Amino acid sequence: MNKSLIMLGVAALAFTSCKQFKKGEGDMQYIIHQDKDGEVIKEGDFVALHAVQKTEEDSVLSNSYDYDRPMFVAQQKSAFKGDIYAALAMLSEGDSATFKINLDSLQAKMNMPKPENTKGKYMIFTFKVDKVIPKGTMTDSLFQGKVDEYLKAEVAKAKDQEAGKISAYLAKNDLKPTVTASGLNYVVEKEGSGAKPAVGDTVKLNYTGSFLTGKVFDTSVLETAKKTPGLFNPMRPYEPMKVPAGVNATIPGFDEGLLLLSKGSKVKFIIPSKLAYGEQGSQIIPPFMPLVFEMEVLDIIKPVPGSAAPAAQLPPGHSAGDGHGH
């Protein structure tokens, strides 16, 4: 990730309270942090931007910097005066700003849930506009072609930068992993005891999956889910996962890693995207995104003779049927 982008996001959050908000349209308030020359965003434009969303109590609800990629928005007509699209319409490529948007209006007009932990009147958004592709008078096919070209370049950039990001993560965290022939990196934090699982054995384990930024995207641990903004799902049981080892029930790096661990092991896997979700990504994993899994093996269960191996208890939002599994 571009360090300047990280610092801008942090600085915007830190210094917003030191500046005076100006009155915008409707009930909007705003502070412009950076104002570049250029055409402002118009309805129909494609926008790539970084966004931090928080409550007035400084509780961060979402942060695109966690994903190490910009988010993409198709600029739309405002749902109400002073909404998010009205805020974006004040900006051009390269601009950054913080906006206060009325919470009740967001809930009523844009179906945005009101956070339970806020008593404030506003939701606060900090935007950094990375790229604008104006729709203008272009035909839909020509415009879509330009958007596709940009997205393809972003995927290529992610691919080129992946190895360097993994190296930087290892250096930053002072990790000296063992690297397998496939490219799986792992660090044993606690040695287990007993035999390692054979192909087809069921491994019972707890896990937490995160990006290199530290953003947790999945976990079997209730306490971890509850302390991660936006992750906890009250409809999901948080309990150890059971997964057959070595039978491609999960992503390749996870599957390979299971065979390396004995009961009681605690390990950190750093999995390159070629052993995870690759160039396609998944519902929540961007293309060419390396992943970090912290795992603890609770038990290794041998199959009962004559019975089929149990299916993996995969987390919500993932499917073994698409070849990616976990």
Side-chain angles (χ1 to χ4, degrees), residues 7 30 43 169 187 195 221 225 231 234 241 255 258 302-303 318 325:
M7 296 308 297
Y30 68 94
E43 185 177 347
Y169 173 85
V187 177
V221 182
L231 183 63
M241 183 176 76
D255 193 48
L258 291 175
K302 294 290 183 181
H318 301 268

Side-chain angles (χ1 to χ4, degrees), residues 12-290:
L13 291 176
F15 296 117
T16 291
S17 59
C18 302
K19 298 181 179 180
Q20 292 295 317
F21 278 89
K22 297 180 179 179
K23 180 73 170 66
E25 69 171 49
D27 198 26
M28 177 211 293
Q29 298 179 38
Y30 68 94
I31 293 173
I32 302 295
H33 303 294
Q34 190 168 27
D35 187 6
K36 296 284 189 178
D37 292 335
E39 291 291 323
V40 295
I41 297 167
K42 296 180 176 64
E43 185 177 347
D45 290 353
F46 169 88
V47 185
L49 76 162
H50 280 280
V52 179
Q53 177 185 354
K54 65 173 186 173
T55 66
E56 287 191 89
E57 293 86 359
D58 284 330
S59 176
V60 177
L61 303 178
S62 65
N63 184 346
S64 66
Y65 293 99
D66 287 337
Y67 297 87
D68 206 12
R69 311 284 164 85
M71 58 186 292
F72 309 123
V73 176
Q75 176 69 340
Q76 300 179 29
K77 183 178 180 180
S78 291
F80 62 91
K81 276 189 172 296
D83 71 352
I84 295 171
Y85 296 113
L88 289 176
M90 297 174 62
L91 305 178
S92 59
E93 185 172 303
D95 289 355
S96 61
T98 296
F99 298 89
K100 288 185 176 182
I101 310 291
N102 186 282
L103 254 176
D104 290 336
S105 296
L106 284 169
Q107 187 176 28
K109 302 292 187 180
M110 301 183 74
N111 297 317
M112 184 176 290
K114 186 173 183 177
E116 296 180 358
N117 62 341
T118 183
K119 296 180 180 179
K121 181 181 178 181
Y122 297 100
M123 189 77 77
I124 300 176
F125 298 88
T126 295
F127 296 133
K128 169 68 172 68
V129 181
D130 291 350
K131 179 70 175 178
V132 178
I133 301 178
K135 174 64 167 68
T137 59
M138 279 193 286
T139 63
D140 290 345
S141 60
L142 180 58
F143 176 68
Q144 189 59 52
K146 287 188 174 295
V147 171
D148 290 344
E149 183 180 353
Y150 169 78
L151 295 176
K152 184 178 180 180
E154 285 293 292
V155 170
K157 183 167 67 174
K159 179 181 180 180
D160 291 343
Q161 293 177 346
E162 181 180 357
K165 289 179 178 179
I166 292 175
S167 296
Y169 173 85
L170 296 175
K172 178 182 176 182
N173 292 280
D174 195 24
L175 298 176
K176 296 176 174 56
T178 300
V179 184
T180 69
S182 71
L184 174 66
N185 296 262
Y186 69 97
V187 177
V188 177
E189 298 172 342
K190 178 186 175 183
E191 291 282 359
S193 60
K196 294 178 174 62
V199 172
D201 288 353
T202 296
V203 181
K204 181 180 180 181
L205 55 90
N206 273 319
Y207 70 92
T208 294
S210 62
F211 302 128
L212 298 184
T213 60
K215 170 66 176 178
V216 173
F217 64 83
D218 195 12
T219 184
S220 65
V221 182
L222 178 62
E223 294 77 10
T224 302
K226 283 187 171 181
K227 72 181 183 182
T228 302
L231 183 63
F232 176 66
N233 179 1
M235 302 301 293
R236 172 187 170 179
Y238 288 89
E239 58 189 19
M241 183 176 76
K242 294 180 180 178
V243 55
V247 296
N248 301 315
T250 66
I251 56 174
F254 201 101
D255 193 48
E256 178 186 354
L258 291 175
L259 297 173
L260 302 173
L261 308 175
S262 52
K263 182 178 178 180
S265 297
K266 289 186 178 181
V267 67
K268 176 176 288 187
F269 289 115
I270 301 92
I271 305 178
S273 66
K274 67 178 181 179
L275 301 177
Y277 293 88
E279 63 180 324
Q280 298 301 319
S282 76
Q283 291 174 317
I284 58 173
I285 312 296
F288 295 109
M289 177 65 82

